[in-house]
């Protein structure tokens, strides 16, 4: 007994040391995680887009369920019939066997985004990790510096298989062109976000596509946030987001020549699934070369069901939902403009980042929002550069007008109590 006790104590001390050392290395993030009710929160209950954390009810502006399909009665009521027919979870990897629901989803998605073919896998992260190294094929991967972290993870894996990673400044097509001209690799892959997950702005996909075609590269676009929100433009459109939510390539009226589109169902469609829109030859190859198709567990049947029903709802009611989403987002953007507060949001999409003038106020600002019943995503250093530390508001069609009223009211009081970056200061 006596021999075991001290040994255990020593072990605990040693373990504390290494954990403490690691936490010190990312102290800002660790401090926020430890001290703030808006990170790693346990949600006890929801009521529409209101959430309860402990005793506090808050309006949720951190959800990416842009179309509000997670709370849509038609979508919810359709699920039990699918479960009765397929059970909760087939558990085969897709290579072993896919419920026919996958075929139906892939056909519908290919028609919706107007791509030659579509392959469904569980998440975008898994697609990036498995597909980027394959498409890089030991050549060069050009990544926008502000592309999503999961793209970087895929690109870094590609370097382990002999590819070279080349970063270019955010949206800097001239720098990308220079890098492409200098490059001699036989395979080239350009990776960007369609709608940027922090700024909510839309990349100039036609300009990137033109460069990709000129330099015989593949343009790989992650449109996690655009799919379901922006789509083809025409005179009947109900909002500047365009129609059908069929993603950034169709938003610009582009073809899929040299373009591979990746998007997810877990945001606008509230379902655990993702897809890659690509030529059929690529799809065939991915079926034997992409580990998530070979080995990963599939999306739950409930998610396949909500994807299929969500796609039907989208055809009938999607454009009305998008008009509603746009109007609510506009109210928030107008409020910031009236307050003279800066946001990088230039295209009116429902991702509204509000950077602080002093990064060290992030904890207090978050606490103020929390105490006033507003739940947002905190953007802390080192997740974002210090100059961009702040919070991100996301709107969904399921947020009520009363919740948006409350957000507008709290933003006004927040701007009076704290230093937010001023619109004119940033423009100057
Ligand atoms: C741009 C972007 N790509 C990928 C992801 C990850 O998506 P998934 O949950 O499907 O892995 C996110 C999630 O926030 C995202 O914003």
């Amino acid at each position: 007994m006596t021999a075991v006790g001290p040994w255990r104590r020593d072990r605990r001390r040693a373990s504390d040391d290494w954990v403490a050392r690691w936490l010190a290395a990312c102290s800002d993030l660790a401090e926020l995680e430890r001290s703030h009710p808006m990170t790693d929160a346990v949600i006890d209950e929801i009521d529409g887009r209101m959430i309860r954390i402990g005793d506090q009810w808050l309006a949720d502006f951190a959800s990416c369920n842009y179309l509000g399909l997670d709370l849509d009665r038609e979508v919810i009521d359709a699920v039990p019939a699918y479960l009765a027919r397929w059970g909760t979870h087939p558990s085969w990897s897709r290579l072993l066997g896919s419920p026919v629901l996958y075929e139906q989803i892939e056909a519908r998605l290919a028609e919706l985004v107007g791509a030659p073919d579509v392959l469904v896998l569980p998440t975008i992260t898994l697609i990036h990790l498995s597909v980027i190294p394959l498409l890089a094929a030991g050549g060069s991967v050009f990544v926008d510096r502000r592309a999503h972290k999961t793209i970087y993870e895929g690109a870094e894996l590609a370097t382990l298989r002999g590819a070279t990673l080349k970063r270019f400044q955010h949206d800097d097509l001239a720098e990308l062109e220079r890098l492409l001209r200098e490059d001699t690799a036989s395979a080239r892959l350009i990776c960007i976000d369609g709608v940027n997950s922090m700024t909510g702005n839309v990349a100039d996909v036609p300009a990137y596509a033109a460069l990709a075609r000129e330099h015989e590269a593949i343009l790989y676009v992650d449109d996690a946030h655009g799919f379901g929100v922006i789509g083809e433009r025409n005179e009947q459109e109900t909002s500047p987001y365009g129609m059908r939510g069929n993603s950034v390539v169709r938003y610009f009226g582009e073809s899929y020549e040299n373009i591979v589109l990746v998007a997810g169902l877990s945001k606008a469609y509230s379902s655990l699934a993702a897809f890659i829109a690509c030529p059929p030859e690529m799809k065939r190859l991915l079926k034997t070369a992409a580990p998530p198709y070979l080995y990963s567990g599939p999306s739950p049947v409930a998610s396949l069901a909500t994807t299929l029903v969500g796609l039907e709802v989208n055809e009938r009611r999607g454009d009305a939902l998008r008009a509603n989403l746009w109007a609510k987002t506009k109210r928030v953007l107008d409020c910031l403009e009236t307050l003279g507060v800066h946001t990088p949001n230039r295209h009116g999409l429902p991702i509204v980042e509000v950077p602080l003038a002093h990064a060290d106020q992030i904890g207090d600002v978050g606490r103020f929002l929390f105490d006033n019943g507003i739940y947002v995503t905190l953007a802390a250093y080192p997740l974002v550069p210090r100059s961009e530390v702040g919070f991100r508001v996301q709107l969904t069609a399921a947020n009520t007008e009363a919740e948006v009223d409350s957000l507008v009211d709290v933003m006004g009081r927040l701007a009076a109590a704290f230093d937010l970056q001023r619109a004119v200061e940033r423009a100057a």
Side-chain angles (χ1 to χ4, degrees):
M1 288 287 284
T2 45
V4 169
W7 177 80
R8 278 208 174 132
R9 272 203 300 278
D10 287 343
R11 288 270 297 206
R12 207 175 306 124
R13 253 204 313 277
S15 130
D16 286 352
D17 281 352
W18 71 261
V19 175
R21 235 192 338 271
W22 170 68
L23 284 174
C26 42
S27 57
D28 297 66
L29 201 56
E31 178 55 29
L32 196 68
E33 195 276 331
R34 196 167 40 243
S35 65
H36 213 283
M38 262 194 295
T39 50
D40 201 19
V42 175
I43 315 292
D44 293 297
E45 191 181 348
I46 68 165
D47 179 4
R49 214 36 106 227
M50 294 297 290
I51 60 177
R52 182 171 65 77
I53 298 176
D55 295 334
Q56 175 79 322
W57 278 96
L58 304 110
D60 178 9
F61 291 103
S63 165
C64 288
N65 289 300
Y66 296 121
L67 299 179
L69 298 181
D70 55 322
L71 301 170
D72 191 288
R73 227 36 274 174
E74 185 180 348
V75 176
I76 295 168
D77 289 347
V79 174
Y82 284 88
L83 297 184
R85 192 146 170 224
W86 292 100
T88 58
H89 192 63
S91 186
W92 303 300
S93 75
R94 286 215 56 197
L95 186 70
L96 221 55
S98 295
V100 68
L101 305 177
Y102 276 101
E103 296 284 305
Q104 295 164 6
I105 290 171
E106 288 174 351
R108 289 198 76 131
L109 285 172
E111 186 282 321
L112 178 62
V113 301
D117 215 335
V118 157
L119 180 71
V120 170
L121 291 170
T123 66
I124 296 181
T125 305
L126 283 172
I127 291 178
H128 290 341
L129 291 176
S130 57
V131 175
I132 291 176
L134 285 168
L135 295 185
S140 298
V141 194
F142 304 85
V143 184
D144 183 309
R145 281 193 183 272
R146 305 299 304 273
H148 197 260
K149 172 85 173 124
T150 51
I151 288 187
Y152 270 100
E153 300 282 319
E156 275 159 13
L157 266 184
T159 65
L160 295 180
R161 300 207 202 143
T164 307
L165 171 58
K166 300 184 177 179
R167 299 176 174 85
F168 57 94
Q169 290 302 324
H170 180 48
D171 278 347
D172 191 340
L173 284 144
E175 186 184 8
L176 174 61
E177 181 165 24
R178 184 177 56 72
L179 291 172
L180 283 165
R181 277 196 202 293
E182 287 167 1
D183 190 79
T184 52
S186 55
R188 292 145 181 211
L189 184 68
I190 303 165
C191 299
I192 60 170
D193 285 4
V195 169
N196 185 277
S197 62
M198 289 307 294
T199 65
N201 293 329
V202 190
D204 187 350
V205 168
Y208 281 104
L211 273 185
R213 289 168 193 148
E214 188 188 334
H215 294 275
E216 293 175 352
I218 296 173
L219 176 63
Y220 181 96
V221 185
D222 173 345
D223 204 25
H225 294 271
F227 179 65
V229 178
I230 56 171
E232 61 196 57
R233 311 297 308 267
N234 63 40
E235 278 154 19
Q236 286 83 49
E237 65 190 26
T238 50
S239 79
Y241 296 161
M243 302 277 281
R244 300 186 76 204
N246 48 13
S247 198
V248 67
V249 177
R250 297 303 303 273
Y251 175 76
F252 283 110
E254 264 294 335
S255 82
Y256 283 87
E257 199 190 330
N258 292 58
I259 297 183
V260 166
L261 173 74
V262 175
L265 285 309
S266 76
K267 299 197 189 302
Y269 283 83
S270 312
S271 309
L272 186 71
F275 68 91
I276 171 163
C278 59
E281 304 87 321
M282 194 179 280
K283 173 173 171 174
R284 266 200 305 281
L285 185 108
L286 292 177
K287 283 183 169 193
T288 49
Y293 193 87
L294 278 74
Y295 306 113
S296 294
S299 296
V301 168
S303 279
L304 300 177
T306 52
T307 298
L308 272 173
V309 183
L311 288 166
E312 280 166 29
V313 168
N314 181 56
E315 288 304 326
R316 279 183 279 111
R317 293 192 270 122
D319 290 322
L321 293 170
R322 281 179 278 276
N324 172 314
L325 179 62
W326 177 76
K328 284 174 183 152
T329 304
K330 186 168 181 324
R331 281 196 62 201
V332 176
L333 291 170
D334 287 350
C335 157
L336 292 177
E337 192 178 341
T338 307
L339 293 170
V341 167
H342 171 67
T343 172
N345 183 312
R346 286 181 283 116
H347 298 152
L349 270 84
I351 300 172
V352 183
E353 194 200 342
V354 181
L356 310 184
H358 308 293
D360 56 359
Q361 290 189 337
I362 182 72
D364 293 339
V365 165
R367 171 56 72 179
F368 181 94
L369 290 166
F370 188 90
D371 290 345
N372 284 283
I374 300 295
Y375 197 77
V376 296
T377 306
L378 296 184
Y381 179 84
L383 293 182
V384 296
R386 282 193 196 278
S387 60
E388 291 170 29
V389 164
F391 59 93
R392 190 177 66 172
V393 170
Q394 277 139 216
L395 293 114
T396 72
N399 284 113
T400 63
E401 291 297 339
E403 287 159 17
V404 179
D405 289 345
S406 158
L407 174 65
V408 164
D409 170 55
V410 174
M411 291 273 229
R413 289 189 281 124
L414 181 82
F418 293 92
D419 284 340
L420 304 176
Q421 291 183 16
R422 310 292 304 164
V424 278
E425 283 168 21
R426 288 292 294 211

